[in-house]
Amino acid sequence: MKTVTKLKRYDMYINGEWTSPTDGEYFPSHNPATGEAWCEVAKGSAVDVDNAVQAAHAAFLSPEWRKMTPTQRGHLVSKLGELIAENVETLAKFETLDNGKLIREMRGQLQYLPEFYHYYGGLANKIQGNVLPIDKPDMLVYSVREPLGVIAAITPWNSPLYLTTLKLAPALITGNTIVIKPSEMTSASILEFVKLVEKAGFPAGVVNVVTGFGMPVGDALTSHPLVRRIAFTGGEVSARKVVENSAKNFASLSLELGGKSPNIVFEDANLDNAAMGIIAGIFSASGQSCVAGSRAFIHKNVYDKVMEKLVHRVEQIKIGDPLQEETEMGPLATEAQLQRVEQYVDWGLKEGGKLICGGKRPENIENGWYFEPTIFEHADNTSKITREEIFGPILSVIPFEDEDEVIQLANSTEYGLATGIWTQDIGRAHRVSAEIRAGIVWINTYRSVSPIVPIGGSGLTGYGRESGMEVVHEYTQTKSVWVNTSDKIIEDPFKWV
Ligand code: NDP
C-alpha cells in the first residue's frame, strides 16, 4: 500500500503574522523534476488581499516606519542581504524544488542577491531633493522626494527571489510598504525568504505576501484603491489586465515582460566565445528567461564554423535532476510550458524551419517536464517560431550578409529587451549598439546583471526600468515646498490699485 506523506504547508504573511486563507483552501505546488506535488500553499482571496493592503497602508502611516530615518531603513535592507547570504543553500533548494531550475544556477543567483540589498541599503540616505533657482524674489523653493505608499509586486515563476528583490529593495529604502504576490507555481521560496524579513526586524505590515492565483489575487491587488504603484513582471496577457486595473486606482506601473532577443555574430568575432554566449543565452534555465537569446544571426562567412561549435556542445548538454551538481539543463517549470514548447516545434517544422538537433522530450527520462535543447535553422526572420517568445530551450539560427541587414533583422521584433553583439571591431560594436532597439546591449558577453545597471525594455517588453539608481525615482514622488522669506506685509489680494 502506498504511504501518503503529509505535504509541507505554507500560510500567507500578512501584518507580521502567518495567516491562513479566509476561505481555508490550499493548493499543491509541483516539483517540475518529478511532476509530483511537494508542498501546499494558501489559496488567497480578495478578502486576504484587502487585509494585506490595509495592513501595508497602516504600516505606511505608522510612526514606527514613517519616522525611521533613511539611514535606519538602509541598515535594515543591508541586514536582509546579510541574512540571505547566510541562507543561500536553503533558499536555492526551495527555488529549485518549485521551478526546476538548476541548483547551481539558483545558488549562484542567491549568492549574488545580497549585493542588491547592499547597493540599495547604501543608497537609502543618498536620495536627495533640490533647492530650485526660483525666478521670484523672496522665495525659497526646495523639493523633497517622498514615498508613494503601498506597492504591489507581482512576479513570475522563473526567478522568484531575484525578481522580487528588484522591486522590494528600492521600495523599502524609499519608505514604501509592499504586498507581494508570487507566481502560484513558485511561492515557497518567497515565504521562506519572508522569515528573514521578519528576522531582520522590519515593522509588521511593511512587507506582506498573499499567495494564490492571478484571478482573484493578482486582480484584486492591482485594482485595490490603496495601491499606489504596481511593479509587474510576467507575460503579455496578464500585463494587459494589470494595465486596465491601474486605470482604476491610477497607480503608476512598471511592466517587465518578454523578449525575442538576438545574438549577432560578426565574422571577426571570437567564435568560441560567441558560441558559448549563444548557448548560455538560450539554454540556461532551459530557455525560461526574459532575456533568453532565442535568435542567433550569424555572418555567412563563419556560419558553418559557428554551427559546428554550437551543435557539438549542445548535443553534449547533460539533462536531468536539477538538484544534481553535474546537471546542465533541468526541466521546464510546468507541464503546460512543455506542451507549448512541443507546439512551437510543430509550427517551426510546418513553416519550413530545418531541425538541426533536439526537438523532443529526452527518451531516457521517464518523469518530469524535460525537453531537449533544440536548434532550428531558418532562411529569414518571418516565421512564428522566430518572432514569438517561446520561453523554452529553442534557438532559431539565421545567416546574414552585412551590417545593415542584420540591424534590420535584429530590430524586426515587437519586443525590445536585450541584444548580444559579438565582434572584435570596436567601431562596429558601438555603431551597431546605437542602432539596436533594446533596453540592454551586451557586447562580447551575454546575460550579465548587476544591481548598478538598469533592466527593462520597450514595445511588447513593456515599460519602466528596474535595478540601478534611477529606479528610486519610480518609487518616490516630488514634493515642492515654497517658502516666503520676506517679512513684508502681504497685500489684500483683491485690492488692485
Ligand atoms: P504570467 O503573466 O502568467 O504571470 C505573472 C504573474 O502575474 C503571476 O504571479 C501571475 O499569477 C500573475 N497574474 C496572472 N493574471 C493576473 C491578473 N489578472 N492580474 C494580476 N496578476 C496576474 O507570466 P508567467 O508566470 O508565465 O511568466 C513568464 C513571463 O514572464 C514571460 O513572458 C517572461 O518573458 C516574463 N518575464 C519577464 C522578465 C523581465 O524582467 N522582463 C523576467 C522574467 C520573466 P499566477 O501565477 O497565479 O497566474
Side-chain angles (χ1 to χ4, degrees), residues 28 32 40 88 90 98 122 172 309 393 412 424 459 464:
E40 51 182 23
V88 163
T90 317
D98 246 358
L172 293 180
K309 289 177 197 293
S412 70
Q424 310 267 31

Side-chain angles (χ1 to χ4, degrees), residues 155-158 181 184 213-214 218 233-235 238 257-258 290 389 391:
T155 53
W157 38 265
N158 56 340
K181 189 254 174 262
E184 89 215 22
F213 293 76
T233 305
S238 329
L257 314 178
C290 55
E389 184 186 49
F391 226 55

Side-chain angles (χ1 to χ4, degrees), residues 318-345:
K318 289 191 196 75
I319 310 174
D321 181 354
L323 283 172
Q324 297 300 318
E325 298 293 332
E326 66 276 12
T327 302
E328 294 174 333
M329 219 178 94
L332 291 154
T334 63
E335 195 166 13
Q337 194 60 23
L338 175 63
Q339 287 159 359
R340 181 180 153 88
V341 168
E342 287 178 319
Q343 175 72 73
Y344 272 99
V345 170

Side-chain angles (χ1 to χ4, degrees), residues 51-73:
N51 290 342
V53 176
Q54 296 289 353
H57 185 62
F60 178 68
L61 298 178
S62 73
E64 201 184 356
W65 183 240
R66 213 176 168 75
K67 300 283 176 211
M68 199 179 272
T69 64
T71 304
Q72 288 168 323
R73 284 200 301 264

